[in-house]
Amino acid sequence: MKTLRNIMLSIVIITAVLIVGVCSFYNYQLSPVSNSEETVLIEIPSNTSKKQIASILKENGLIRDERIFIIYLKIMKTANLKAGYYELSPNMGEKK
């Protein structure tokens, strides 16, 4: 009985640590890349895929990780991104 309780307690602790770790990683990835006020003008061409947009943003130092950007778009149910010119800053974070 004591062994079962210890196993269950271990499972609960490990699960809690994993949840806190994943949430911390997610928040870090969505935080601003830098404190720089400098803006970057980027062009998103027509018919650019989300993966290509992520690559453009990463190359310009606007996001930390392309995969996290794609996951974020899926979580936020962002269906389509529009082509055009955008003036963005690496200190921009997620809008709350």
Side-chain angles (χ1 to χ4, degrees):
M1 190 67 161
K2 202 172 191 182
T3 303
L4 180 60
R5 186 180 69 191
N6 288 341
I7 291 171
M8 293 303 289
L9 181 60
S10 296
I11 290 171
V12 168
I13 290 171
I14 290 169
T15 302
V17 168
L18 285 172
I19 290 171
V20 168
V22 167
C23 289
S24 296
F25 178 75
Y26 180 77
N27 284 331
Y28 170 74
Q29 290 294 330
L30 294 182
S31 67
V33 175
S34 79
N35 292 329
S36 172
E37 296 291 329
E38 181 181 331
T39 59
V40 178
L41 182 65
I42 61 165
E43 177 188 7
I44 305 298
S46 296
N47 300 318
T48 305
S49 70
K50 292 176 185 177
K51 187 174 181 180
Q52 291 169 318
I53 292 172
S55 179
I56 292 168
L57 295 176
K58 175 71 174 161
E59 287 171 8
N60 286 281
L62 297 167
I63 60 173
R64 295 184 198 289
D65 189 298
E66 296 170 32
R67 292 169 295 181
I68 298 298
F69 178 77
I70 300 296
I71 291 169
Y72 179 77
L73 293 178
K74 288 181 183 179
I75 290 171
M76 299 307 291
K77 298 179 182 170
T78 304
N80 56 1
L81 301 174
K82 298 187 189 267
Y85 289 91
Y86 294 90
E87 190 172 348
L88 304 171
S89 172
N91 72 354
M92 295 169 62
E94 176 187 25
K95 301 258 183 192
K96 304 254 179 187

